[in-house]
Amino acid sequence: MTILVTGATGTVGRHVVRQLLDRGESVRALSRDPQRANLPHQVEVIRGDLADAESFGRAVDGCEAVHLITFTGEFGEPLTNGPELIAAAEKAGVRRASVLGGWDQSTLEPALESAHLPWALLAPVEFMANAREWAPEIVSDRRVRTLADWPSAMVHEADIAAVAVQVLLDASGDLTGGQTYQLTGPEALTPAERAARIGAALGEEVTWLQLTEDEERERLRSFGYDEDYVEFGIELAKNPPVIGQVVQDTVPRLTGRPGRTFAQWAQENVELFRS
């Protein structure tokens, strides 16, 4: 089976590509810059962009399944051409789709709801990979500073990909369309607990300090975020969604294996945090 992976060079997409290859599937990837995609040699990389339905149509032609993302561009803007993309997928004969959602609904989800192909929306509560933004401070000071102090049931990117692969292959034929899968890891951890696990991977103590609101604003600005996003971050730190703190059984139920822990993620990515 030939499967098109969009967002193939992203945090989750690379895992989707690798896991499909490991299952013996033929993988095609959509990339705005194939020369820099750095994907396994077995992958057929097609130049294109989800914002351009014509290029997507060329890439998806002949594919039986597709992994979609609902955003595009450098800053992850929600897709505005969902109906055109789904029309192209149906014309190509796509039989099922996995969809990695973003913060905001795009035009893709409503288009899928009125389509005739089975699909499922993957809704991770938080990526473990978000801890990458802590790397500079851990490297320099062996500390983490945030305003938020609440526990998050963050999920490993490879587990998000594993659910996507189950949806795409769907050997059981149980996928009927329109399911939403809330994805979490096996535990909800506070920033202090995550910092401690990174410290354990390093073999050194990593401490957590709570910031004031103004200090958090400055921290977020230091990443280059605009003021709207900065205020969004402040609101999220003060009023987190309850669903993000509750462990779900989706990953083990659909994949047949326990979800990867944050301690495992920290060990896999420990070189990011070394000086």
Side-chain angles (χ1 to χ4, degrees), residues 106-128:
S106 74
T107 58
L108 191 66
E109 296 95 322
L112 280 162
E113 288 172 0
S114 58
H116 300 290
L117 65 147
W119 63 285
L121 179 68
L122 313 184
V125 298
E126 182 181 358
F127 290 10
M128 289 183 183

Side-chain angles (χ1 to χ4, degrees), residues 126 148-154 187-191 193-194 240-246:
E126 182 181 358
D149 63 353
W150 41 268
S152 173
M154 76 296 293
E187 55 191 348
L189 301 175
T190 65
E193 291 169 328
R194 279 173 271 168
V242 174
I243 194 170
Q245 304 175 56
V246 179

Side-chain angles (χ1 to χ4, degrees), residues 95-263:
R95 297 205 302 265
R96 64 182 68 91
S98 60
V99 184
L100 177 60
W103 277 105
D104 299 313
Q105 186 182 72
S106 74
T107 58
L108 191 66
E109 296 95 322
L112 280 162
E113 288 172 0
S114 58
H116 300 290
L117 65 147
W119 63 285
L121 179 68
L122 313 184
V125 298
E126 182 181 358
F127 290 10
M128 289 183 183
N130 288 355
R132 288 173 176 266
E133 72 177 29
W134 294 351
E137 194 170 29
I138 292 176
V139 168
S140 63
D141 299 323
R142 291 293 186 257
R143 67 179 183 178
V144 171
R145 301 182 308 146
T146 65
L147 171 60
D149 63 353
W150 41 268
S152 173
M154 76 296 293
V155 59
H156 196 298
E157 310 82 69
D159 284 338
I160 303 170
V163 173
V165 168
Q166 288 299 112
V167 170
L168 292 167
L169 301 184
D170 190 35
S172 66
D174 290 339
L175 184 63
T176 57
Q179 292 101 322
T180 296
Y181 294 132
Q182 297 288 341
L183 304 180
T184 74
E187 55 191 348
L189 301 175
T190 65
E193 291 169 328
R194 279 173 271 168
R197 281 157 176 76
I198 293 172
L202 286 167
E204 301 180 42
E205 184 180 8
V206 175
T207 59
W208 171 79
L209 300 173
Q210 187 169 31
L211 297 176
T212 66
E213 287 187 33
D214 286 342
E215 289 170 335
E216 178 73 351
R217 287 187 176 90
E218 289 307 309
R219 186 182 76 89
L220 293 173
R221 287 172 184 143
S222 74
F223 296 127
Y225 297 134
D226 62 29
E227 288 304 306
D228 286 344
Y229 188 90
V230 167
E231 292 308 316
F232 168 76
I234 295 294
E235 185 61 26
L236 184 63
K238 293 165 56 181
N239 299 292
V242 174
I243 194 170
Q245 304 175 56
V246 179
V247 172
Q248 307 289 334
D249 70 348
T250 313
V251 169
R253 177 166 51 85
L254 294 183
T255 67
R257 52 169 300 279
R260 296 166 173 87
T261 66
F262 187 78

